[in-house]
Amino acid sequence: MRTLIAVLMLTLAACASTHHVMLGQARPAIDPAQVKVYQVPPKHYEEIARLDAKSGVGFGTQGQINSAIDRLAREAAKLGANGVILLGVDQTGSPVSLGVGGGSFGRHGGASVGMGIPTAQQRAEGIAIYVTEE
């Protein structure tokens, strides 16, 4: 049973992802702690990349939203961006489901009970930028 739970937790965590599409020139990587998240764009900046990040699977919590935004900042830092303009956060259904089944072998039979556990991922989108003036 512990092995099943461990495999399930690893599967759920593996669903988190981050992607980017380059819009400009990357710079040398920086520490993610130096990346500032903006809801309103600063005065002057250069666009580096469009970012998309998903949290791990869970139940739609604030922690998942924070995780997706943190993933944006980490990806931006890899590209040398010192800022991210947050375009939005939304919730998506998870591709993961959990079920229990049964069967029969020879004269022995079994029954099963099914149960669905609704899970979700948080998805954040942003633009990695290099801020020249706030």
Side-chain angles (χ1 to χ4, degrees), residues 34-77:
Q34 295 177 314
V35 177
K36 184 174 178 181
V37 177
Y38 296 87
Q39 290 188 348
V40 176
K43 267 188 179 177
H44 299 285
Y45 60 90
E46 299 168 16
E47 291 185 352
I48 296 177
R50 174 125 183 167
L51 306 174
D52 180 88
K54 290 183 182 176
S55 70
V57 176
F59 301 102
T61 64
Q62 182 64 45
Q64 284 180 283
I65 293 170
N66 295 345
S67 172
I69 294 171
D70 287 346
R71 287 178 184 280
L72 289 181
R74 286 195 307 267
E75 187 70 13

Side-chain angles (χ1 to χ4, degrees), residues 105-129:
F105 181 75
R107 294 182 189 207
H108 303 284
S112 67
V113 175
M115 179 175 85
I117 300 174
T119 58
Q121 284 182 293
Q122 297 296 329
R123 181 172 162 258
E125 289 186 75
I127 306 263
I129 58 174

Side-chain angles (χ1 to χ4, degrees), residues 74-127:
R74 286 195 307 267
E75 187 70 13
K78 289 178 189 176
L79 300 172
N82 61 3
V84 172
I85 300 171
L86 185 61
L87 299 177
V89 177
D90 63 356
Q91 182 171 303
T92 63
S94 169
V96 176
S97 62
L98 177 63
V100 177
S104 64
F105 181 75
R107 294 182 189 207
H108 303 284
S112 67
V113 175
M115 179 175 85
I117 300 174
T119 58
Q121 284 182 293
Q122 297 296 329
R123 181 172 162 258
E125 289 186 75
I127 306 263

